[in-house]
């Protein structure tokens, strides 16, 4: 994704479209709760964490995360719901991040220094670490 502005622009357009769809389909949006392990092996650059490679990249959760429920009537007209799980994604681009948990799509600003990321979305602070292509964001592990 580095060096391809039309792809990054298209990603932004897709994120904005997904946000509009999420608002229309779900009404009020909730910021997801933290989960998963909060440690990540970010020793790079001679053991020193770095932010190199973070900007312009998209990461996917290592472990499947809750996406919501699919509810439907079965053959006997009983209403049943099934929990859905899948990948959450986060994209960092030019000081902004775009976070998609399927039930929630949001964006905010971030800074990164020596592998430590601090993000702000709607007055709420999120923290993460980055290095060697692996990311921990809000307590969850992500990969490229």
């Amino acid at each position: 994704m580095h060096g391809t502005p039309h792809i990054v622009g298209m990603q932004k357009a897709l994120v904005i479209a997904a946000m509009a769809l999420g608002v229309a389909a779900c009404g009020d949006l909730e910021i997801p709760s933290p989960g998963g392990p909060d440690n990540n092996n970010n020793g790079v650059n001679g053991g020193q964490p770095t932010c190199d490679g973070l900007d312009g990249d998209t990461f996917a959760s290592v472990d499947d995360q809750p996406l919501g429920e699919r509810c439907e009537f079965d053959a006997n007209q009983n209403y049943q719901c099934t929990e859905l799980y899948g990948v959450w994604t986060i994209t960092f681009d030019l000081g902004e991040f775009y976070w998609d948990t399927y039930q929630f799509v949001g964006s905010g600003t971030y800074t990164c220094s020596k592998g430590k990321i601090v993000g702000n979305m709607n007055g709420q602070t999120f923290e993460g670490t980055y290095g060697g292509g692996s990311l921990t964001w809000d307590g969850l592990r992500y990969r490229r």
Side-chain angles (χ1 to χ4, degrees):
M1 285 187 211
H2 299 286
T4 54
H6 66 282
I7 292 175
V8 173
M10 191 166 47
Q11 276 185 334
K12 286 182 183 179
L14 289 173
V15 169
I16 291 169
M19 288 174 60
L21 179 61
V23 169
C26 300
D28 294 334
L29 296 177
E30 294 182 21
I31 294 176
S33 61
D38 56 8
N39 292 322
N40 201 2
N41 181 8
N42 288 331
V44 296
N45 191 27
Q48 298 300 313
T50 179
C51 298
D52 293 344
L54 178 67
D55 191 55
D57 219 339
T58 298
F59 300 84
S61 58
V62 171
D63 299 315
D64 283 345
Q65 299 300 315
L67 300 179
E69 293 182 332
R70 178 179 49 215
C71 299
E72 58 192 1
F73 288 97
D74 66 13
N76 297 321
Q77 298 303 311
N78 296 316
Y79 193 69
Q80 298 198 5
C81 296
T82 304
E83 291 288 327
L84 301 175
Y85 292 86
V87 174
W88 290 3
T89 61
I90 186 164
T91 300
F92 295 91
D93 185 38
L94 301 173
E96 295 183 2
F97 68 88
Y98 306 90
W99 193 12
D100 183 355
T101 69
Y102 192 75
Q103 291 179 335
F104 164 84
V105 178
S107 65
T109 59
Y110 78 92
T111 58
C112 185
S113 177
K114 297 181 182 176
K116 181 176 171 124
I117 308 165
V118 177
N120 186 338
M121 178 174 29
N122 300 327
Q124 191 167 5
T125 300
F126 298 90
E127 294 184 357
T129 57
Y130 173 75
S134 79
L135 167 77
T136 297
W137 178 257
D138 198 39
L140 290 177
R141 292 180 309 132
Y142 289 76
R143 67 175 174 265
R144 282 191 185 147

